[in-house]
Amino acid sequence: MRLAPYVTSARVNCLRRADGSLILTNPHPLRPAFANVVEPLAHWADHQPQRVWLAGFEGGAWRTLNFRDGWRMVSALAAGLYSTFPRGSVIAVASGNSISHALLTYAAPLAGLAIAPITPAYAIKARDPRRLHEALQTLGAQAVFMESHHFATPALWAEEIGVRVLSPGDGFGTYDELSLDKLFGDPDDAPAWQDLDPQDACKYLLTSGSTGTPKAVTVTHQNLAMNAAQIRSTFDPDLEAQIWPDGIMMANHLPWSHSLGGNAVLHMLLHAGGSLWIDPGTPTAQGLDASIATIKHVKPNYHLTVPLGWSLLASALERDEELASALFSRLVIMQYGGAALTQDVYRRLQEVALRITGEEITLAAGYGATETAPTVCNVHWPNDVMGLVGLPVPGLELKLVPHGTKWEARVRGPGITPGYLNAPDKTKDVFDEEAFYKLGDALAFVDPLQPHLGLVFDGRLSEEFKLANGSFVPAGLVRPALVQASKGLFSDVVICGEGQKEVSALAFVNLDKARALSGLEDDLPSLIWHATVRSSAKKAMIDAGKGQPQTRRVTKLILLSTPPSLEVGEITDKGYLNQARCRACRANSVAALYSPSFDHERIEIE
């Protein structure tokens, strides 16, 4: 396996308490953290002024920004923001990842403000501005930055509700109240980064809202600065210098409106002095081509995406030698987050890596939440087992509390949010009596007798539901098992059956795999009826259910002819499937799983 810069061993301290709970900590030392989120930019401007900080694909070409120029632009923008908005103001960003977005992300905290990235789908893809309105109200935003001409209508609407509209100066029309180019001042007039209070909010991130109205998670300077240091502490400094002499180079598309993209990618890379090429693609069939073009241009040495992104990329790598060479020629680490990756996708990726380089490349994983900045655990050792969440990062306490036959995960440390904006009751509900944040997940040891082998995800407690006989269905475990058993046919599945006698599923189908199985180039509405595709789907149910109890065995399945919708919230812009939302949006398909009138649609096993 290709040498990776991880710490040399997986170690964990495990304390069993009198109440039956366990406290897990990482004995590896915590490396120094910056004082706030702005200091690393100033640091690298001094130490690596010519190194690329950011690169964005703009106007048909790549524009690069080095650390020196980036720091001066952030300082100049902070000077203008400081003289325009009161301290503590919230600046929302309803645009995609871009250099302008990044400048605002660091200029606003330097000016004593907080940035609040909102998924651009609320403004550009929604049929009406209701969700954008709700987000701006939750945040109490004084202004919203919108970068594309596609935002013209919601920009006008935002002004009508009293929120100032910012743009990069490319002209929305007469209602373009403020443009960033007019806000740039003298960088010497910017506040000093040394004067920032680490306990101040530097960012607010909206939760997905899958369990109710979205909440605004407070991210302080300390939260983000310390979590970046915790992630970095899982790397060996000597190996880093050997493997990445010119720094990390990453091409990444994960949206900054989520903590994985905005914190674990954008800020962790800044903390480490790495270079980020902003990939204009997405982890979807429609956005894959742009990501492929970016990878070919950049040839990254570190690549991170969600499992759906890796699944789509695996198919492309198998047929595109130029892409395979571009991705693997310099790659040191592959990583995934947001959900579990299947062993099948892992093996397909390694087969390509072996063909191109003669070596396997470690595929790591992380685990956390928006409220944890985001990383609680990661796999910081060479690994070939998918589904691990790893071990806690240094400087953090992970508490495992008995929950029936499972362990409920709770966490305490400097990266954990102090709470939700203007929501004291909701804040109180998510912390226990010892100030541990309750993640709402269950974790389990790979081997209880060898805790250093790591932890695995054991289900989202809130996603569990009951069958008619009162038995709980662990949907978070049934889903990846079925996806893996499909051997690439299912890109994801929705687990159903609440109040029913049997567990069932709706399956989103991988078009490339369906075409390969059928030998046809038809579209999905035709391919889901092909005999070979349907028999492969039936075999996946049989294989996934072997030896499993009723609560983990899917016996009815419908193949879906359309992909999950970002606009209606079935899938987030980072590629995570919202199970509850899918069931609600596809209520007719859920009903068809159990209706005698739709026997022809279902694939069933005994």
Side-chain angles (χ1 to χ4, degrees):
M1 184 170 285
R2 182 171 288 188
L3 182 65
Y6 291 126
V7 292
T8 54
S9 63
R11 294 186 290 159
V12 64
N13 293 329
C14 185
L15 172 67
R16 183 175 294 274
R17 301 185 358 172
D19 62 0
S21 64
L22 303 177
I23 301 293
L24 274 58
T25 56
N26 192 319
H28 288 291
L30 178 63
R31 291 169 65 176
F34 290 105
N36 52 60
V37 302
V38 181
E39 184 187 2
L41 185 54
H43 171 86
W44 294 112
D46 285 339
H47 290 79
Q48 292 288 347
Q50 298 301 324
R51 180 181 289 175
V52 171
W53 170 33
L54 297 166
F57 195 73
E58 301 176 0
W62 284 102
R63 171 196 172 196
T64 61
L65 185 67
N66 63 32
F67 281 111
R68 180 197 61 197
D69 294 342
W71 172 235
R72 287 193 62 80
M73 293 181 73
V74 163
S75 298
L77 182 54
L81 292 170
Y82 185 78
S83 63
T84 304
F85 294 98
R87 307 293 73 75
S89 294
V90 177
I91 308 297
V93 179
S95 295
N97 302 355
S98 69
I99 290 177
S100 293
H101 186 163
L103 295 176
L104 261 178
T105 297
Y106 291 97
L110 182 56
L113 317 178
I115 200 75
I118 302 170
T119 173
Y122 284 7
I124 194 171
K125 294 188 177 182
R127 294 187 178 92
D128 64 63
R130 178 181 56 83
R131 298 185 76 182
L132 177 62
H133 185 190
E134 290 176 352
L136 295 174
Q137 284 188 322
T138 298
L139 293 163
Q142 280 72 37
V144 56
F145 175 69
M146 297 180 175
E147 193 160 17
S148 166
H149 288 286
H150 294 296
F151 292 108
T153 300
L156 177 61
W157 184 86
E159 279 202 341
E160 290 175 352
I161 65 168
V163 178
R164 300 179 77 176
V165 178
L166 308 180
S167 84
D170 55 2
F172 279 143
T174 57
Y175 51 88
D176 180 14
E177 182 184 329
L178 274 177
S179 61
L180 291 192
D181 57 0
K182 296 175 185 176
L183 281 174
F184 280 87
D186 186 333
D188 294 333
D189 292 336
W193 63 261
Q194 295 91 337
D195 294 338
L196 295 173
D197 186 341
Q199 304 305 321
D200 281 350
C202 67
K203 180 186 289 190
Y204 293 102
L205 286 172
L206 293 172
T207 59
S208 65
S210 59
T211 56
T213 304
K215 303 181 289 289
V217 178
T218 303
V219 182
T220 68
H221 283 271
Q222 181 189 52
N223 294 156
L224 196 47
M226 289 298 296
N227 196 239
Q230 290 174 311
I231 296 170
R232 192 85 185 279
S233 298
T234 61
F235 293 139
D236 182 301
D238 295 331
L239 287 177
E240 275 192 283
Q242 175 185 342
I243 292 169
W244 291 318
D246 299 316
I248 300 172
M249 182 176 291
M250 184 182 288
N252 195 267
H253 55 71
L254 296 174
W256 299 342
S257 50
H258 295 274
S259 59
L260 184 58
N263 295 357
V265 174
L266 176 63
H267 191 69
M268 186 279 290
L269 216 56
L270 174 59
H271 175 101
S275 302
L276 176 60
W277 295 71
I278 303 168
D279 177 5
T282 58
T284 63
Q286 297 76 21
L288 182 63
D289 286 346
S291 290
I292 289 173
T294 303
I295 291 169
K296 288 180 177 179
H297 178 79
V298 177
K299 299 179 177 64
N301 55 30
Y302 191 149
H303 194 67
L304 164 64
T305 186
V306 294
L308 179 58
W310 278 119
S311 178
L312 293 168
L313 199 55
S315 298
L317 288 164
E318 289 165 342
R319 62 175 182 265
D320 188 335
E321 285 296 300
E322 181 188 357
L323 171 63
S325 179
L327 181 61
F328 290 124
S329 60
R330 298 193 295 182
L331 199 66
V332 175
I333 294 177
M334 299 187 287
Q335 188 171 348
Y336 66 93
L341 187 76
T342 66
Q343 205 70 27
D344 171 68
V345 172
Y346 170 79
R347 284 271 32 111
R348 291 166 63 198
L349 291 169
Q350 295 298 4
E351 287 170 5
V352 179
L354 280 167
R355 188 177 75 244
I356 298 298
T357 70
E359 299 176 286
E360 292 193 343
I361 299 172
T362 188
L363 209 164
Y367 165 74
T370 305
E371 290 85 348
T372 62
T375 305
V376 169
C377 299
N378 64 11
V379 181
H380 48 266
W381 57 91
N383 168 59
D384 60 4
V385 178
M386 300 301 98
L388 297 184
V389 301
L391 291 169
V393 293
L396 176 146
E397 296 174 277
L398 176 64
K399 180 163 70 169
L400 300 180
V401 180
H403 184 93
T405 60
K406 298 187 175 187
W407 293 104
E408 180 197 346
R410 304 180 185 183
V411 65
R412 182 170 68 184
I416 311 305
T417 181
Y420 303 110
L421 178 65
N422 300 324
D425 290 341
K426 291 178 180 178
T427 297
K428 183 179 179 181
D429 288 343
V430 297
F431 289 94
D432 70 12
E433 65 283 356
E434 294 182 294
F436 280 85
Y437 171 72
K438 296 182 286 188
L439 284 148
D441 294 332
L443 301 180
F445 291 101
V446 173
D447 182 346
L449 298 179
Q450 301 183 80
H452 67 277
L453 295 181
L455 296 158
V456 294
F457 183 71
D458 199 22
R460 180 76 180 160
L461 298 176
S462 64
E463 285 186 356
E464 293 186 350
F465 60 82
K466 288 183 179 181
L467 295 177
N469 64 6
S471 300
F472 276 104
V473 175
L477 302 180
V478 178
R479 183 197 66 81
L482 183 56
V483 172
Q484 180 161 323
S486 77
K487 298 182 178 179
L489 178 59
F490 303 154
S491 59
D492 216 328
V493 297
V494 181
I495 305 302
C496 308
E498 184 167 7
Q500 302 290 340
K501 295 180 180 179
E502 302 165 276
V503 182
S504 61
L506 306 176
F508 293 104
V509 177
N510 183 324
L511 177 61
D512 286 340
K513 186 68 174 181
R515 285 175 171 172
L517 287 170
S518 66
L520 303 174
E521 290 296 313
D522 293 357
D523 291 332
L524 272 182
S526 298
L527 290 174
I528 62 172
W529 296 101
H530 191 276
T532 304
V533 172
R534 296 181 77 80
S535 65
S536 296
K538 185 172 183 176
K539 186 176 186 303
M541 282 195 292
I542 294 170
D543 290 347
K546 283 181 180 177
Q548 296 296 328
Q550 179 191 21
T551 55
R552 296 195 184 191
R553 189 171 63 249
V554 174
T555 59
K556 301 174 186 290
L557 185 142
I558 287 178
L559 300 178
L560 298 172
S561 61
T562 57
S565 168
L566 180 69
E567 180 180 344
V568 301
E570 289 185 316
I571 190 171
T572 69
D573 46 1
K574 67 176 181 179
Y576 179 77
L577 201 68
N578 185 324
Q579 296 270 319
R581 187 64 182 160
C582 286
R583 287 191 290 266
C585 293
R586 299 176 188 263
N588 290 339
S589 294
V590 174
L593 285 165
Y594 297 97
S595 171
S597 303
F598 294 88
D599 288 349
H600 66 289
E601 288 192 25
R602 293 192 300 272
I603 302 169
E604 298 188 39
I605 60 175
E606 294 298 326

